[in-house]
Amino acid sequence: MTKPIVAIPADIRSFDGITWHAVQHQYLRAALNAAGVMAFIIPAFEEGYDTDAILDRVDGLLVSGSASNVHPSLYSVEATERDGPFDPARDATSLPLIRRAIDRAIPLLAICRGIQELNVALGGSLASEIQDQPGIWDHRRPEGVDRDGMYAIRQTVHVKGGSYIAGILGPGEVRVNSLHRQAIARTAPRLQVEATAEDGTVEAVSVIDAKAFAVGVQWHPEYWAETDKPSNKLFTAFGDAVRNHAAGKLATVPAQAIA
């Protein structure tokens, strides 16, 4: 069987006055080298998409991190300039794909902005500038460091025993590389909190009623997916779920169609 394919919704970026649909290399590399799957970049448009047409052609959905934030209007909060930057085309592309992938039991891994999109897509809300809240640490990336330093593994999260992620990483403490200034505020009714930082910030969730792998993490397992054991385990589990889904689709194809 050929390698299965996952969809990765793009960000909208502007370079030299030209609009690009882009995904960071680290997500594509992790999909290929750690999960063992191919990736299709899905262009971001605010309207005109046929979500099922996309999902018909892939075996999984990987929702990446981004410098942009989910627009607050999508969780009934008035937006301020401080909440930005925004990417409405990314919102309009990712949120329907997330909801439909869950409905169709297509494996889903949502990272950083992705976990926030997952929460909003299912009816939750987000908190902005969490470092300004009493008792909450500064989870933002450190200043004056190179990219490896930015994504350095330096934070402890507590994985709940008996949770879905505990079945992958084991329960208890795991060291991760979370860097963000927004986080889940009100957890969506369909989500279960699976891991938290020491200050209580939600760092991982799973979809309670999902019929396939459906996990979101606030940290960045993609960056060290080939060398860090917990990061690799998470991507391997996602890749296995994608392969199982692809095999299940193949098993339903009539024999004459395969021949």
Side-chain angles (χ1 to χ4, degrees), residues 33-49:
N33 295 336
V37 301
M38 301 297 294
F40 281 176
I41 298 174
I42 306 302
F45 288 99
E46 291 190 59
E47 58 185 4
Y49 255 157

Side-chain angles (χ1 to χ4, degrees), residues 107-170:
L108 162 69
L109 176 58
I111 296 171
C112 194
R113 188 195 209 268
I115 190 179
Q116 296 169 15
E117 289 172 301
L118 172 60
N119 189 53
V120 172
L122 299 183
S125 67
L126 304 177
S128 297
E129 306 302 338
I130 59 172
Q131 69 278 354
D132 295 338
Q133 297 183 11
I136 302 298
W137 298 351
D138 191 341
H139 292 253
R140 293 174 296 180
R141 67 187 190 186
E143 298 293 333
V145 297
D146 62 12
R147 196 157 178 82
D148 284 356
M150 183 189 308
Y151 286 92
I153 295 172
R154 59 179 172 269
Q155 176 179 303
T156 299
V157 299
H158 299 270
V159 178
K160 293 184 177 180
S163 65
Y164 189 93
I165 291 179
I168 301 169
L169 304 180

Side-chain angles (χ1 to χ4, degrees), residues 148 151-153 177 220-228 231-232:
D148 284 356
Y151 286 92
I153 295 172
N177 57 352
H220 285 272
E222 84 289 345
Y223 196 83
W224 303 107
E226 296 172 63
T227 56
D228 174 62
S231 299
N232 184 266

Side-chain angles (χ1 to χ4, degrees), residues 163-187:
S163 65
Y164 189 93
I165 291 179
I168 301 169
L169 304 180
E173 294 186 353
V174 176
R175 297 282 288 173
V176 301
N177 57 352
S178 195
L179 51 152
H180 54 102
R181 60 188 180 90
Q182 287 196 318
I184 289 176
R186 183 183 70 256
T187 305

